[in-house]
Amino acid sequence: MKTRLIPAIVVVAAIAGTAGCGSSSSSGSSAGSSGGSSGSGTTLTYWASNQGATIQDDVKVLTPELEKFQKETGIKVKLQVIGWPDLLNKILAATSSGQGPDVVNIGNTWAPSLQATGAFMPFDASALSAIGGKDKFVAASYATGGVKGQDPTSVPLYALAYGLYYNKKMFADAGLQPPTTWQELQADAKKLTNPSTGTYGMAMEGGSYTESVHFAFIFGQQQGADPFNAQGQPDFTSPGMVAGVKQYVDLMSDKVVNPSSVQYKNGPEAPGDFANGKAAMLMSQNNADNTLVADGMKTSEYGVVPIPAPTGAAQNTASFVAGINISIFKNSKNKAAALKFVNFMTSPAEQQIFDVPFAALPVISGVTPNFTTNTQEAQTFQQILATRSVPLPLVANESEFETNVGNAVNQLIAQAATGSAPTSAQIKAALQQAQDKMAAAG
């Protein structure tokens, strides 16, 4: 699984330090208002995030499409594909120095934090009109563009969502149907676990703080809790947040996950266990398909359903709105050309082309997902994204939330793996520590 499971790097100090920077040559108005070079002969610089197996793979995918764009508009695009470990720091350096590209990809969970730097062009009414209007986007994905109530500084490019993968043969052999409630999932996982054969009910990326915070958020939502209150202040220790974290950690406490999974943190390990028959279920984003296929599992051998909520849950949230957004630097001298490029990249035709190699869901309404040949799987993920996904908190210090809560949950999972199941009181204390760290960081 690629790192489109967006890493939340601790960048708050850097972000705070860059606030208001990156606009050395711009009046601050959007291209739709201020204009700029838009015709043949313009050269745009584009920093693309790494979506494929390698940077070279991305270059091979993007190059012919950028050449197509140049043929249609006369606008040349100078491409640089950047790996996830380096992308955010490069973006932040650009916001500080003013020496950045015209257009850049960002992890959509970074959008509020990067918006706070003041370095990106707001997509106001004029700019949105230039790229086809906000209604062309899937509403859930569009909502990730920035802080609620403000003009977004990014728009969706590629979308992802979580689903529950299950091994069809293992379920059939056990006489089980895919679970529709969390209680059924727990029961199925226990029935499908046999440590003597190295087989477990659920695979888990137990050392990944990104996965841990994603599930803390999703299950907290199911329990009716938000990690931030209406004033944008952290509220990690509410009963719902504690119950949501316990829901996730209890998978390890109940011994339906291989304890060695606490070592998994890079992305492909848990899908690998699922693909190799060592686990009957996997909660993952749809880009896990690439890993499953690479490990020899056929799409016909697994099914996908929404991650179920507990009976009587406050909400049936099954995912957060994951994905990649695209932004324009406010100090770009080529805003009109950049808007044409954003419109091209988010066109239905290009979405259909990019979604296959990048295993992504379309961010455009009405476009049929084609990242898999399994029609049922594609429709399931599309429905999850459209109807059962909620954006991660749209607050400036979102990255701190991911890092501090994710690492706290990792420690609880590690405790559970030793045979000492964390209590609700211990979980609340761990979340309080995470909240205190955020407060100390200012």
Side-chain angles (χ1 to χ4, degrees):
M1 184 183 321
K2 292 298 296 178
T3 46
R4 272 172 289 161
L5 305 179
I6 307 302
I9 304 171
V10 181
V11 294
V12 175
I15 288 173
T18 60
C21 298
S23 185
S24 59
S25 62
S26 171
S27 65
S29 57
S30 76
S33 303
S34 64
S37 178
S38 62
S40 178
T42 300
T43 297
L44 292 174
T45 54
Y46 175 40
W47 287 357
S49 55
N50 180 202
Q51 301 301 127
T54 67
I55 286 175
Q56 289 71 30
D57 287 344
D58 283 32
V59 172
K60 289 179 181 178
V61 170
L62 290 167
T63 297
E65 301 314 306
L66 302 187
E67 291 173 348
K68 182 195 302 180
F69 176 68
Q70 182 176 1
K71 187 175 181 180
E72 293 176 356
T73 65
I75 300 168
K76 183 178 180 180
V77 179
K78 185 177 179 181
L79 171 68
Q80 183 179 359
V81 179
I82 301 172
W84 285 103
D86 302 320
L87 181 59
L88 185 53
N89 286 333
K90 282 185 69 72
I91 293 173
L92 289 170
T95 65
S96 178
S97 67
Q99 302 300 311
D102 296 287
V103 182
V104 63
N105 289 6
I106 66 171
N108 68 1
T109 63
W110 301 344
S113 299
L114 292 177
Q115 184 177 33
T117 69
F120 295 92
M121 188 194 82
F123 283 86
D124 60 14
S126 178
L128 285 172
S129 177
I131 63 170
K134 73 175 185 179
D135 291 341
K136 83 173 191 180
F137 296 104
V138 174
S141 295
Y142 180 79
T144 66
V147 175
K148 188 176 182 180
Q150 299 181 23
D151 289 332
T153 51
S154 66
V155 293
L157 180 59
Y158 311 125
L160 299 162
Y162 271 99
L164 175 66
Y165 290 77
Y166 66 95
N167 184 307
K168 290 182 177 178
K169 185 177 187 304
M170 294 173 75
F171 267 68
D173 289 347
L176 297 172
Q177 297 294 319
T180 59
T181 68
W182 186 256
Q183 288 82 359
E184 289 180 1
L185 181 149
Q186 290 175 303
D188 293 350
K190 289 179 180 177
K191 189 171 183 177
L192 291 162
T193 294
N194 185 352
S196 66
T197 61
T199 306
Y200 292 85
M202 181 66 73
M204 176 185 285
E205 205 75 10
S208 165
Y209 73 86
T210 53
E211 292 253 326
S212 290
V213 76
H214 294 166
F215 290 117
F217 175 76
I218 292 168
F219 296 141
Q221 288 284 304
Q222 291 183 352
Q223 301 287 346
D226 284 313
F228 291 85
N229 62 24
Q231 290 73 43
Q233 300 301 313
D235 188 18
F236 301 163
T237 61
S238 67
M241 283 298 296
V242 172
V245 170
K246 192 171 190 303
Q247 184 176 329
Y248 183 53
V249 174
D250 276 353
L251 290 171
M252 183 64 80
S253 301
D254 293 342
K255 305 184 187 304
V256 299
V257 174
N258 189 330
S260 65
S261 300
V262 296
Q263 305 296 326
Y264 293 173
K265 60 182 178 180
N266 295 317
E269 298 98 332
D273 280 357
F274 177 75
N276 293 316
K278 296 179 180 178
M281 290 182 279
L282 167 72
M283 298 185 294
S284 183
Q285 296 177 20
N286 49 287
N287 57 352
D289 281 28
N290 286 342
T291 302
L292 301 182
V293 172
D295 285 343
M297 192 174 199
K298 299 176 181 177
T299 58
S300 60
E301 293 176 324
Y302 60 81
V304 178
V305 295
I307 295 173
T311 301
Q315 301 183 61
N316 69 347
T317 304
S319 179
F320 79 95
V321 183
I324 309 303
N325 286 2
I326 188 167
S327 292
I328 299 172
F329 268 85
K330 198 164 63 176
N331 65 352
S332 167
K333 300 182 184 301
N334 306 303
K335 293 191 183 71
L339 283 168
K340 284 188 176 181
F341 181 58
V342 171
N343 187 45
F344 173 82
M345 293 294 285
T346 58
S347 66
E350 294 306 306
Q351 289 282 296
Q352 288 280 294
I353 292 170
F354 291 135
D355 287 351
V356 176
F358 295 158
L361 291 163
V363 297
I364 303 302
S365 300
V367 174
T368 302
N370 63 349
F371 70 93
T372 174
T373 57
N374 185 326
T375 303
Q376 184 176 19
E377 178 192 359
Q379 291 175 343
T380 297
F381 274 115
Q382 190 176 38
Q383 284 295 314
I384 292 171
L385 177 66
T387 66
R388 296 182 62 175
S389 298
V390 178
L392 282 168
L394 299 172
V395 295
N397 53 355
E398 192 278 338
S399 59
E400 288 180 276
F401 159 67
E402 291 201 24
T403 303
N404 289 310
V405 171
N407 282 321
V409 176
N410 278 4
Q411 292 299 314
L412 293 165
I413 292 172
Q415 176 185 329
T418 67
S420 176
T423 65
S424 293
Q426 289 173 322
I427 292 171
K428 184 175 182 179
L431 293 174
Q432 183 64 59
Q433 287 183 351
Q435 187 165 312
D436 292 343
K437 287 181 180 178
M438 283 191 61

